[in-house]
Amino acid sequence: MLPHVTDTGWVMEFVILAVVIALVAVGVISGLVVSSRKKKQLPPAPSSTPTITPPAEPHVGEEAETPRDTSRRTIEEVGLPPEEAPETAEPQTPAAPALDVPEPTAGRLVRLRARLARSQNSLGKGLLTLLSRDNLDEDTWEEIEDTLLTADVGVAPTQELVERLRERVRVLGTRTPEELRKLLREELLTLLGTDFDRVVRTEGGAETPGVVMVVGVNGTGKTTTTGKLARVLVADGRSVVLGAADTFRAAAADQLQTWGERVGARTVRGPEGGDPASIAFDAVKEGIAEGADVVLIDTAGRLHTKTGLMDELGKVKRVVEKHGPLDEILLVLDATTGQNGLVQARVFAEVVDITGIVLTKLDGTAKGGIVIAVQRELGVPVKLVGLGEGPDDLAPFEPEAFVDALIGD
Ligand SMILES: Nc1nc2c(ncn2[C@@H]2O[C@H](COP(=O)(O)OP(=O)(O)O)[C@@H](O)[C@H]2O)c(=O)[nH]1
Ligand SMILES: [Mg+2]
């Protein structure tokens, strides 16, 4: 019994409408799911964003170029997690309430030695192999010289080393591998200098915190080093305030702040494009007000002329010194930039009184000789070395451990 044909038509229309509504609903929901998935793929925190700069002819005062040796780093070398420190493996969320417990600093260079040895053995092992030849003729000595020059030891130190080695090998007469290793070790240590004071000064005054200013060309690892140094200090029980005086990019302050948050160090920052000197001043002021032990000031290196660099860093230094003297001015140099690093070092040394050198990215180069060359150039000791991108991959520089890593023991 179907008396109303039109009713059936209405029912059909209703069904079609319902299906359309259902389809639209499904479409909307899946759209939401997709967009919420997209949201989860936001770019990572600035601290983990690698600086990608196109390779270019390097110039002093410019942004750092892509490290010369980058192509030599294998995936294996770069990608290895810090095997000695599984407990510091960090969750992705930067705002995690639990603070990191940084590794103790004692013996770090020894612990990170494998990383050093992996990239450095071409120097030490190469020298030992050459010295072990039965006949140390003129050609062999030239090869030894070339090996040292290739490792960025520098011309004058290379000539000194070769001269001393020649003399001592001659006096020695017959030589065993052990004797050669001992000889090479001693001579490399002499070149590195064993009586430099390599302690990073952070005592400050009676009423004022220790103040450390970190300078260097962009991309060398200033912010990373400042962050790692904050961890070292916190691990030693000191309270730290960070000053984000690189105001060229907001991301630079974010990057520093992320480092600080992980260990509970506060970051004093200002507006993008603000005056770096006033931020540095405020950071020290905050440090004094809080009774902090140390204030670390990260600066910008994107300064294209020596005058600009002089004006800006000079001003930061002068302004900070209104509170009290600076304890350290650390120059950060990227070990992979070789001789260009030396040119940078010279310029910065003319602008501010460098008290210590931090040589970063020693894990990514076979040119460890730059340690010798840069100390020679500035007459200032290498105090810290960077051996990776991990939070605890910063080590006090110890000449003995370094040389042992170079030539094996
Ligand atoms: N392999 C390696 N990379 C490092 C080291 N120190 C810093 N870096 C990386 O170098 C890049 C630039 O560092 P950053 O601190 O931002 O340089 P800044 O511009 O001088 O502040 C980042 O990708 C760091 O992770 C190191 O010792 N070894
Ligand atoms: Mg920086």
Side-chain angles (χ1 to χ4, degrees):
M1 191 178 78
L2 295 164
H4 308 294
V5 177
T6 50
D7 275 4
T8 317
W10 183 86
V11 167
M12 285 295 288
E13 272 172 28
F14 179 79
V15 168
I16 288 167
L17 191 64
V19 167
V20 168
I21 289 171
L23 283 175
V24 169
V26 166
V28 169
I29 289 167
S30 63
L32 282 179
V33 170
V34 169
S35 67
S36 75
R37 241 187 243 140
K38 268 185 199 147
K39 274 194 194 122
K40 281 185 189 147
Q41 292 171 343
L42 280 175
S47 65
S48 59
T49 311
T51 315
I52 300 164
T53 37
E57 197 60 25
H59 295 290
V60 175
E62 285 191 353
E63 288 212 62
E65 70 289 1
T66 303
R68 229 167 44 187
D69 292 4
T70 297
S71 58
R72 292 201 196 159
R73 297 164 69 188
T74 63
I75 290 168
E76 189 196 23
E77 278 173 341
V78 177
L80 279 179
E83 49 206 352
E84 312 86 343
E87 76 275 15
T88 59
E90 177 67 1
Q92 287 305 300
T93 36
L99 296 182
D100 280 12
V101 181
E103 271 185 20
T105 50
R108 269 198 193 180
L109 194 54
V110 173
R111 254 179 296 138
L112 295 171
R113 180 179 150 162
R115 223 171 287 172
L116 193 64
R118 196 158 54 222
S119 58
Q120 308 289 322
N121 55 17
S122 61
L123 174 58
K125 305 265 156 51
L127 287 177
L128 279 178
T129 310
L130 286 168
L131 284 170
S132 305
R133 281 191 190 164
D134 288 338
N135 181 20
L136 280 175
D137 56 13
E138 219 38 59
D139 284 350
T140 307
W141 284 111
E142 233 164 72
E143 277 181 68
I144 290 173
E145 212 169 282
D146 287 347
T147 307
L148 289 161
L149 288 173
T150 310
D152 278 339
V153 171
V155 178
T158 293
Q159 280 166 357
E160 277 174 37
L161 182 63
V162 168
E163 231 162 76
R164 278 206 297 261
L165 281 176
R166 283 186 87 144
E167 176 61 21
R168 291 189 64 179
V169 164
R170 200 176 51 78
V171 171
L172 205 63
T174 53
R175 52 217 140 78
T176 65
E178 292 73 40
E179 281 169 329
L180 285 177
R181 169 169 281 120
K182 186 164 166 283
L183 200 115
L184 187 59
R185 187 177 190 277
E186 283 172 10
E187 291 303 334
L188 285 171
L189 274 177
T190 304
L191 274 189
L192 281 170
T194 44
D195 36 44
F196 268 124
D197 180 4
R198 298 180 194 271
V199 175
V200 177
R201 299 263 159 239
T202 56
E203 300 84 31
E207 301 290 313
T208 52
V211 181
V212 178
M213 182 167 147
V214 180
V215 303
V217 167
N218 258 20
T220 51
K222 285 184 302 298
T223 305
T224 309
T225 298
T226 309
K228 288 172 175 174
L229 188 55
R231 296 175 64 88
V232 167
L233 292 164
V234 168
D236 291 345
R238 327 275 314 272
S239 61
V240 177
V241 169
L242 299 172
D246 177 355
T247 58
F248 278 103
R249 299 168 301 131
D254 292 344
Q255 188 190 352
L256 188 66
Q257 190 167 349
T258 304
W259 277 99
E261 278 167 357
R262 295 169 67 170
V263 288
R266 216 160 57 74
T267 302
V268 174
R269 51 187 296 179
E272 188 171 351
D275 177 24
S278 71
I279 290 164
F281 182 84
D282 287 350
V284 180
K285 200 170 86 184
E286 290 283 323
I288 294 169
E290 276 184 22
D293 296 317
V294 189
V295 178
L296 303 179
I297 299 166
D298 183 24
T299 62
R302 194 200 300 232
L303 299 149
H304 288 268
T305 63
K306 202 163 107 183
T307 331
L309 185 76
M310 188 114 54
D311 286 353
E312 175 141 336
L313 288 182
K315 190 175 164 201
V316 171
K317 182 172 179 282
R318 274 196 312 279
V319 162
V320 165
E321 281 173 344
K322 289 186 199 290
H323 292 295
L326 279 159
D327 293 68
E328 287 273 0
I329 300 181
L330 296 176
L331 173 67
V332 178
L333 291 176
D334 176 342
T336 66
T337 59
Q339 298 300 310
N340 186 43
L342 288 189
V343 181
Q344 293 169 17
R346 225 170 281 146
V347 171
F348 276 89
E350 283 176 38
V351 174
V352 281
D353 295 325
I354 308 295
T355 57
I357 299 159
V358 183
L359 210 53
T360 59
K361 311 189 195 181
L362 264 178
D363 53 312
T365 178
K367 295 168 183 285
I370 195 73
V371 177
I372 294 167
V374 74
Q375 284 191 158
R376 268 300 167 95
E377 184 67 40
L378 299 189
V380 165
V382 171
K383 293 191 168 178
L384 299 165
V385 289
L387 289 161
E389 296 183 275
D392 293 324
D393 296 341
L394 181 74
F397 181 70
E398 297 150 13
E400 287 85 0
F402 184 77
V403 169
D404 286 341
L406 284 189
I407 59 178
D409 48 11

